[in-house]
Amino acid sequence: KAGVTQTPRYLIKTRGQQVTLSCSPISGHRSVSWYQQTPGQGLQFLFEYFSETQRNKGNFPGRFSGRQFSNSRSEMNVSTLELGDSALYLCASSPGTVQETQYFGPGTRLLVL
Amino acid sequence: QKEVEQDPGPLSVPEGAIVSLNCTYSNSAFQYFMWYRQYSRKGPELLMYTYSSGNKEDGRFTAQVDKSSKYISLFIRDSQPSDSATYLCAMSGARNQGGKLIFGQGTELSVKP
């Protein structure tokens, strides 16, 4: 089975712009979670989608949003980018019934200038 | 205080050594405990997961959970240079809490030939 794929792998944006990141989960997986990883804060949970519905949300401002499509692919969007949004954004896929088995993609590295 | 505490290291050991990695946590609701390995510029890779207290072994890796002490460990036997990576502990609560994993800061391990 192919693993979790994320596009793009690298992105450079300027403050105030918006960005959309994409994640394709493992075939058959219905749950997609998004995390932000920074050297200072480590890995932090953004949100999780299951069957096109947001099932859980972390403590991030409303500038961070996401959605899931009927084929389980997911996108996350960050509007009005700030310098502090520079991070590795990781997507994790899970069957959805056994939540602990989350499999991560390679991540999208976002740099905000 | 963070919900999950993990010594960031770095930890340097000679090849063949037994490595002990640890995390402590404060939330008694955590029931699922995981260890991930993350190589530089890659996404985290699931190594081990354990439900509630007890031990689990997989090859050279052993995971231990002591819920009474709120303490989890990962032991690596016969460590190899290829084990050099950052090791992240992660945990979650109720089964249907929707994909939210809480991560430790990660311990950077270097195994010297």
Side-chain angles (χ1 to χ4, degrees):
Chain A
K1 268 187 182 177
V4 178
T5 58
Q6 291 187 246
T7 57
R9 293 293 311 279
Y10 303 94
L11 210 46
I12 300 176
K13 292 285 188 180
T14 56
R15 276 185 306 173
Q17 287 187 309
Q18 75 164 16
V19 66
T20 299
L21 312 181
S22 181
C23 171
S24 292
I26 293 170
S27 177
H29 285 193
R30 296 166 63 191
S31 168
V32 173
S33 298
W34 288 90
Y35 294 82
Q36 180 195 65
Q37 187 175 30
T38 59
Q41 298 299 317
L43 264 154
Q44 293 184 287
F45 175 78
L46 281 156
F47 31 66
E48 188 239 6
Y49 286 86
F50 177 79
S51 293
E52 301 179 65
T53 301
Q54 187 179 86
R55 191 160 65 171
N56 205 346
K57 189 177 186 305
N59 296 324
F60 278 82
R63 300 186 296 107
F64 292 83
S65 63
R67 59 177 175 168
Q68 187 180 33
F69 302 96
S70 58
N71 61 358
S72 294
R73 191 178 69 84
S74 177
E75 289 181 346
M76 69 161 278
N77 184 77
V78 188
S79 62
T80 319
L81 284 165
E82 300 177 0
L83 296 179
D85 297 332
S86 295
L88 180 67
Y89 289 89
L90 291 157
C91 162
S93 124
S94 165
T97 55
V98 184
Q99 68 158 1
E100 65 268 26
T101 51
Q102 291 192 22
Y103 301 92
F104 282 83
T108 294
R109 191 164 295 278
L110 172 64
L111 177 61
V112 182
L113 300 175
Chain B
Q1 185 190 3
K2 294 190 174 190
E3 279 189 286
V4 180
E5 299 279 358
Q6 184 177 8
D7 187 338
L11 180 62
S12 182
V13 301
E15 183 175 353
I18 296 174
V19 177
S20 172
L21 304 166
N22 312 292
C23 288
T24 58
Y25 63 95
S26 57
N27 189 343
S28 56
F30 289 146
Q31 297 186 66
Y32 298 91
F33 304 91
M34 288 132 273
W35 286 96
Y36 285 85
R37 176 175 63 193
Q38 186 174 25
Y39 291 112
S40 181
R41 312 196 79 77
K42 302 280 188 183
E45 171 194 8
L46 178 65
L47 279 177
M48 303 281 283
Y49 73 87
T50 312
Y51 170 69
S52 194
S53 286
N55 295 354
K56 187 169 185 178
E57 188 173 321
D58 184 2
R60 297 184 296 112
F61 298 91
T62 300
Q64 288 185 349
V65 174
D66 182 350
K67 287 191 72 180
S68 63
S69 302
K70 296 191 181 68
Y71 187 89
I72 70 170
S73 302
L74 178 71
F75 297 95
I76 307 174
R77 289 183 298 281
D78 187 26
S79 56
Q80 302 295 310
S82 58
D83 294 328
S84 298
T86 296
Y87 289 79
L88 298 144
C89 63
M91 38 200 89
S92 66
R95 191 174 183 87
N96 296 315
Q97 212 173 37
K100 180 179 179 179
L101 296 180
I102 308 298
F103 282 85
Q105 279 289 99
T107 299
E108 186 182 342
L109 171 67
S110 177
V111 181
K112 304 294 187 185

